[in-house]
Amino acid sequence: MIGLVIVSHSKMLAEGVKELALQMGQNKVKIEAAGGLDDDENPIGTDPMKIEQAIRNAYSEDGVLVLMDIGSAIMSADIALDFLEDEMRDKVILCEAPLVEGAIAAAAQAMSGSSLKEVIAEAKNALHAKKVLLQPEEEEVSIDEGKEIVTEGKSVQITVPNKQGLHARPAAKLIEIVNRFDANAMVSVNGKKPVSASSISQVGTLGAKQGDVLDFILSGNESVLLENALIEFQDANFGDNDKLSAETVEKTVNKKSKNGAIQGIAASKGIAIGKAMWFKKELPTIEKVDISDADQEINLLHQSINRVIVDLETIQQKITKELNKDKAEIFEYHKLLLRDQDLLKEVEETVRKEKINVAFVWSSQIEKLKAEYLKMDSAYLQERASDVVEVGNKVLLEMLGEPQQKIVLTEACIIVTDELGPAETVDLDLNLVQGIITRAGGETSHSAILSRSLGIPAIVGIGEEIDQLINGEEIAINGKTGEIWTKNHSTVIVDLRKQKEEEEFKRGELLKIAKTPAVTKNGKTYQILANVSGPKEAKISFENGADGIGLYRTEFLFMNRDKAPSEEEQYEAYKAVCENMKGYPVTIRTLDVGGDKPIPYLNIPSENNPFLGLRGIRYCLQDTELFKTQLRAICRVSAEYDIRVMFPMVGVIEEVYSAKELLSEVQEELKKEGISFSKTMKVGVMIEVPSTIFFIPQLAAELDFLSIGTNDLTQYLLALDRDNNSVAKYHSPFHPAVLEAIREILVRSKEVGIEVSMCGELAGNTKATSLLIGLGLEKFSMNSPAIPFVKEVIRNVDVETNPNDFKLDSSIQTLQELKKSVEES
């Protein structure tokens, strides 16, 4: 994330602008003020040394933008650059944007992780209105900072590979790829008119389906690099995982009533019975009004968009924390749409040319874009129209000064509405919403996807039959079948209520059993632990019957923020997890960063292969200050709770020596400070780098336990990127080589007497439970929902474990045959 420096002749002015910009950037952006002179008699002026220090304080590898007020501020800033090292100076830009408006706009743009170039463009846009006001007779300056329109250049074709075609997320990724290079691009499909490949509003409406050919025209200095990136994008299946059919399969349903039920599209399974509550969206009527000040209208548009983007950022952070990053990416399309230079340019030109109010023009453009999506052949792409409407209405309400529409619930109910956007879905009160019914939408709408993640039964695409539902009347829905029953079908509702109660009773009984030990028929007890990311998951894991925490992923505490958590913050978080586990043991994995878990503020240098670079313990051994802070917090918690510490991504024994040495240093420091810690806290490592299999005796001499991480072990053993769809079909923990490696780990560990657990996804796969027991595994750690089911499998097992006798059937030739063999056994 880039840093900002505010330079002013007045110290108070600089600090004031800094305060405004910090609020706009939600305190996520590094902003430093360099104002005035340290002279009580002559305080007005600028000091190059102050500016130099401010730049150093705000410095980021992504760059620093310096905004100045007048006269000598520019000269002082220029002199300050001379004091910087060449490498640092090259990443600092002095910008002519207005101090106040430019700083606010830059902070809002920087907050989203935009590049220095994008932030500069946004800051300069803030100057545009003033330029026009001060120079009304001069030719207007275009504020479009996007790519130039290309008519000639190299022709490149890629085929749309993914099942759902160029829908919202691939379109957003395509825009990001194009904007990454110093190149210009136009794209067309099926002989249609080419559109700008850097415009989300244009790319999103191409309607490209699987098998369609995208024709690009590329020009510019890095057009060859862009061509290679586009081919890689195609090879990566446009970033889609077509195996996730639950979220990507298009579906048609018979809308005719069946057995008296209203039939819709089953979007999220589950039975709900409750009052229907109609939520009707009523936007203010937008009249076409003549205006005299076009710049004031355009400024209103940009201010409103900035506020909506800030709101979307907040929603993304919430979803990342409560669900996952993939679900949060849904809102990247919304933000790209609001930053689309082609859409904004068209709105601005219409306002200037026709001298009419921006709210009317914006509303018309959103309706036009909605109509474009609804004309698509793909039902999946048609469903993006609801996203356009939702984000467009958010901006419209901001422009009109109206409050954002929210569904406020006062009692438990089933929501009935024409359309529900993803932002509205995540804002629902989960304690009161029993289900969702919508007139429009489909199974693949973003709202439906989020409903499934949140566990809310949902039926969508009801059409006109939704008007049969009366506000306040009791209804029943079955999210698995897409059926809705009204009060006229009381017998059916009674049956559904009974079915729901039986399912809840069964789950309750399973949870009761889950809290008892997992003991086989022949009397052998197995320990079933949980993988968690925070206190909330720990509480659920305890309720699901976990015998402890086998993997506490601490990296999530470091994500979605602009600086590392303090020692005290980490101490409180780790303590909360322990408290929720009621005294059961908790294994804390130290920061596992890098690879697929980047953390921008750590400034890990760009690597050709991050999965083989600064990952896990390797990074921590370089950033010893951050590592020791975490170790201090862990040691402090160990004084009160049964804590174990585990180091990730160990590949050589020297990493264990170094990590233990730092741990000893921390413990010695705490001892001198009179702070309590456990002197017997157990220490272990993850077995996920294949090399560790071959020096287990050396590890056993230094450590108390090992934990097999099957996810990365599979990836590194087979040299297959688990997130690359081109090779994903070969990535499986059931691969004979992976199973043989697991057997070898267990055998070697038993020979030297060191405890072993497994915390990868394989541990929670009930189809693998008996196999793993046969291999000799005695401790399983898994995601919370799997715990009762794995315990149930173990209670029905009667086997004498001898991993040395385990041999893979040489007749098994393929993964499919192996999986079938495992399931049959």
Side-chain angles (χ1 to χ4, degrees):
M1 187 178 295
I2 76 157
L4 301 179
V5 173
I6 312 298
V7 180
S8 172
H9 283 66
S10 165
K11 181 179 180 179
M12 292 180 67
L13 177 58
E15 292 293 341
V17 174
K18 175 184 174 180
E19 182 181 357
L20 283 171
L22 281 171
Q23 288 186 18
M24 181 56 73
Q26 291 192 328
N27 293 311
K28 294 180 180 179
V29 183
K30 286 184 183 177
I31 305 176
E32 293 292 328
L37 299 172
D38 293 329
D39 184 341
D40 293 339
E41 295 183 4
N42 300 287
I44 300 300
T46 52
D47 182 350
M49 302 298 288
K50 266 192 176 183
I51 299 170
E52 177 209 5
Q53 189 57 51
I55 292 172
R56 291 186 184 278
N57 292 343
Y59 183 73
S60 160
E61 288 295 324
D62 295 325
V64 175
L65 185 65
V66 182
L67 295 153
M68 305 143 289
D69 55 11
I70 55 174
S72 64
I74 299 171
M75 291 184 286
S76 295
D78 199 41
I79 293 170
L81 293 185
D82 293 334
F83 299 146
L84 303 174
E85 298 81 10
D86 291 345
E87 184 179 356
M88 183 178 286
R89 187 190 307 123
D90 292 341
K91 295 183 179 179
V92 180
I93 299 295
L94 307 184
C95 182
E96 73 273 22
L99 187 66
V100 179
E101 297 92 336
I104 292 172
Q109 188 72 20
M111 178 185 64
S112 64
S114 298
S115 67
L116 184 57
K117 182 178 179 181
E118 291 169 326
V119 174
I120 291 171
E122 196 67 19
K124 286 181 178 179
N125 283 349
L127 179 67
H128 178 66
K130 283 188 176 179
K131 282 186 176 180
V132 175
L133 285 170
L134 296 173
Q135 302 165 350
E137 301 301 323
E138 293 188 17
E139 184 177 347
E140 291 184 359
V141 182
S142 172
I143 70 168
D144 183 7
E145 298 286 347
K147 308 279 179 139
E148 65 180 79
I149 302 303
V150 181
T151 56
E152 296 182 358
K154 184 175 183 180
S155 178
V156 175
Q157 288 82 35
I158 63 173
T159 301
V160 179
N162 57 324
K163 289 182 179 179
Q164 295 306 324
L166 195 61
H167 62 89
R169 274 179 280 185
K173 289 177 182 177
L174 176 60
I175 303 302
E176 186 273 326
I177 290 171
V178 172
N179 288 327
R180 194 190 307 160
F181 299 98
D182 181 16
N184 302 303
M186 299 291 285
V187 60
S188 63
V189 64
N190 298 332
K192 294 180 181 178
K193 181 181 177 181
V195 300
S196 169
S198 62
S199 167
I200 188 67
S201 63
Q202 296 188 34
V203 169
T205 56
L206 283 173
K209 302 186 293 295
Q210 185 179 36
D212 284 347
V213 176
L214 296 177
D215 291 301
F216 289 86
I217 303 173
L218 310 180
S219 67
N221 296 331
E222 295 184 336
S223 57
V224 174
L225 294 176
L226 175 55
E227 177 184 359
N228 293 336
L230 290 172
I231 293 171
E232 288 178 6
F233 186 48
Q234 172 190 260
D235 293 343
N237 202 48
F238 277 17
D240 267 7
N241 187 346
D242 289 337
K243 292 187 295 182
L244 300 178
S245 57
E247 293 187 3
T248 57
V249 176
E250 290 183 18
K251 194 173 182 179
T252 59
V253 297
N254 179 8
K255 291 290 185 67
K256 293 181 180 179
S257 296
K258 182 176 67 175
N259 300 326
I262 298 173
Q263 185 69 46
I265 298 172
S268 180
K269 66 181 181 180
I271 294 172
I273 302 168
K275 289 182 180 179
M277 191 201 86
W278 265 97
F279 174 69
K280 296 188 177 181
K281 304 175 188 178
E282 297 180 359
L283 287 172
T285 302
I286 310 299
E287 301 289 347
K288 184 177 180 180
V289 180
D290 293 334
I291 53 101
S292 58
D293 191 340
D295 294 295
Q296 184 177 342
E297 293 289 306
I298 290 168
N299 279 338
L300 174 62
L301 171 66
H302 284 285
Q303 290 167 8
S304 301
I305 286 174
N306 284 338
R307 286 194 291 269
V308 171
I309 288 175
V310 169
D311 184 44
L312 292 173
E313 294 280 359
T314 302
I315 292 171
Q316 279 190 298
Q317 291 171 17
K318 176 183 177 182
I319 295 178
T320 300
K321 183 177 180 180
E322 297 183 1
L323 299 177
N324 58 51
K325 186 178 178 182
D326 290 339
K327 299 298 183 293
E329 284 183 355
I330 287 171
F331 295 92
E332 283 300 318
Y333 170 75
H334 290 204
K335 292 193 297 182
L336 277 170
L337 181 66
L338 295 180
R339 289 173 176 149
D340 191 305
Q341 291 299 318
D342 293 281
L343 174 63
L344 297 177
K345 184 178 179 181
E346 189 167 353
V347 171
E348 291 171 13
E349 287 180 346
T350 304
V351 170
R352 294 189 189 285
K353 183 178 178 180
E354 300 185 19
K355 297 291 183 183
I356 54 177
N357 54 320
V358 71
F360 180 81
V361 178
W362 175 261
S363 179
S364 301
Q365 285 295 330
I366 292 299
E367 284 298 317
K368 178 181 174 183
L369 194 55
K370 173 186 174 182
E372 288 292 323
Y373 273 106
L374 291 176
K375 286 192 296 185
M376 300 289 182
D377 294 332
S378 164
Y380 186 86
L381 290 173
Q382 289 174 9
E383 289 163 14
R384 299 292 75 77
S386 63
D387 290 28
V388 171
V389 170
E390 183 183 35
V391 74
N393 286 345
K394 277 181 172 289
V395 174
L396 191 61
L397 289 169
E398 285 289 341
M399 286 192 286
L400 297 173
E402 297 282 344
Q404 293 292 334
Q405 294 184 332
K406 291 187 177 183
I407 299 178
V408 180
L409 304 180
T410 57
E411 60 180 325
C413 63
I414 297 172
I415 292 171
V416 183
T417 186
D418 291 328
E419 207 167 32
L420 197 66
E424 292 167 329
T425 304
V426 299
D427 209 28
L428 293 172
D429 185 342
L430 297 182
N431 293 317
L432 294 177
V433 60
Q434 296 173 304
I436 296 171
I437 302 172
T438 64
R439 184 189 303 272
E443 188 190 26
T444 54
S445 70
H446 286 154
S447 178
I449 292 171
L450 290 170
S451 296
R452 289 193 286 275
S453 297
L454 293 167
I456 306 172
I459 300 175
V460 299
I462 309 301
E464 297 307 312
E465 290 193 69
I466 199 172
D467 295 323
Q468 297 179 36
L469 304 179
I470 300 172
N471 191 56
E473 286 195 352
E474 185 180 63
I475 59 173
I477 68 173
N478 188 334
K480 186 176 181 179
T481 63
E483 293 173 321
I484 303 168
W485 302 88
T486 63
K487 69 172 186 177
N488 297 326
H489 303 88
S490 56
T491 303
V492 177
I493 293 178
V494 168
D495 290 341
L496 284 173
R497 181 175 280 111
K498 184 178 179 181
Q499 182 181 336
K500 180 178 173 64
E501 289 171 353
E502 287 175 352
E503 290 178 356
E504 290 176 349
F505 177 78
K506 185 177 180 181
R507 280 197 297 270
E509 288 300 302
L510 192 59
L511 287 176
K512 289 179 185 177
I513 300 172
K515 291 186 179 182
T516 60
V519 183
T520 63
K521 288 183 176 180
N522 59 316
K524 186 172 179 61
T525 301
Y526 289 81
Q527 201 169 3
I528 308 301
L529 310 169
N531 300 337
V532 305
S533 303
K536 185 177 180 180
E537 286 183 66
K539 183 177 181 180
I540 296 171
S541 298
F542 176 77
E543 293 169 352
N544 281 347
D547 300 321
I549 301 296
L551 171 63
Y552 177 8
R553 307 182 187 93
T554 60
E555 56 269 16
F556 289 93
L557 187 60
F558 289 74
M559 292 178 173
N560 300 308
R561 54 193 302 153
D562 58 359
K563 62 180 180 180
S566 66
E567 177 186 329
E568 198 61 33
E569 185 179 349
Q570 292 186 61
Y571 169 77
E572 292 296 336
Y574 305 154
K575 182 179 178 181
V577 166
C578 294
E579 287 176 346
N580 286 344
M581 287 308 298
K582 314 294 184 185
Y584 281 101
V586 174
T587 301
I588 301 178
R589 183 175 71 185
T590 56
L591 179 62
D592 186 12
V593 68
D596 59 346
K597 292 179 282 231
I599 298 179
Y601 63 81
L602 295 181
N603 295 320
I604 297 176
S606 177
E607 299 172 297
N608 290 331
N609 193 336
F611 282 94
L612 297 181
L614 278 179
R615 283 200 67 185
I617 195 64
R618 298 171 186 171
Y619 174 80
C620 289
L621 291 176
Q622 288 204 13
D623 192 344
T624 55
E625 182 180 353
L626 178 141
F627 189 34
K628 289 178 71 173
T629 298
Q630 182 175 36
L631 291 176
R632 282 179 62 93
I634 292 171
C635 287
R636 286 172 58 195
V637 176
S638 74
E640 306 171 65
Y641 299 95
D642 186 357
I643 291 291
R644 297 173 164 211
V645 64
M646 180 166 65
F647 306 129
M649 289 305 299
V650 167
V652 295
I653 191 66
E654 289 80 5
E655 290 166 342
V656 175
Y657 298 153
S658 298
K660 286 187 66 182
E661 185 178 343
L662 286 171
L663 177 59
S664 295
E665 285 181 21
V666 164
Q667 291 175 331
E668 189 61 32
E669 290 170 5
L670 291 172
K671 183 178 179 181
K672 289 179 180 179
E673 295 170 29
I675 299 174
S676 300
F677 62 90
S678 172
K679 296 177 182 178
T680 59
M681 180 176 69
K682 292 186 177 181
V683 180
V685 300
M686 297 277 290
I687 301 294
E688 49 195 342
V689 178
S691 61
T692 53
I693 300 173
F694 303 101
F695 57 88
I696 285 177
Q698 289 83 354
L699 290 173
E702 296 292 328
L703 302 166
D704 301 299
F705 68 93
L706 307 174
S707 184
I708 305 170
T710 55
N711 300 349
D712 273 322
L713 180 63
T714 303
Q715 174 171 252
Y716 288 121
L717 194 63
L718 303 180
L720 292 171
D721 181 354
R722 65 190 184 201
D723 294 323
N724 186 330
N725 290 304
S726 300
V727 295
K729 62 182 178 180
Y730 303 115
H731 185 286
S732 171
F734 286 107
H735 192 287
V738 178
L739 295 177
E740 190 65 39
I742 292 171
R743 186 196 68 81
E744 193 67 24
I745 293 167
L746 293 168
V747 169
R748 293 185 180 214
S749 299
K750 187 174 182 179
E751 288 174 351
V752 294
I754 189 169
E755 174 191 308
V756 185
S757 64
M758 178 183 288
C759 61
E761 289 182 14
L762 187 63
N765 188 332
T766 53
K767 293 178 180 178
T769 304
S770 297
L771 172 64
L772 293 172
I773 288 175
L775 287 171
L777 184 67
E778 297 181 359
K779 292 181 72 172
F780 298 69
S781 189
M782 62 203 66
N783 291 333
S784 174
I787 292 172
F789 301 99
V790 170
K791 282 193 168 186
E792 182 90 353
V793 171
I794 291 173
R795 292 189 187 103
N796 290 288
V797 168
D798 186 357
V799 63
E800 293 296 329
T801 304
N802 189 350
N804 287 299
D805 292 340
F806 178 79
K807 300 293 181 185
L808 293 174
D809 188 344
S810 60
S811 66
I812 295 174
Q813 300 296 320
T814 68
L815 286 178
Q816 288 76 15
E817 290 175 339
L818 178 64
K819 289 176 182 176
K820 184 179 179 181
S821 173
V822 169
E823 289 172 14
E824 288 175 349
S825 68

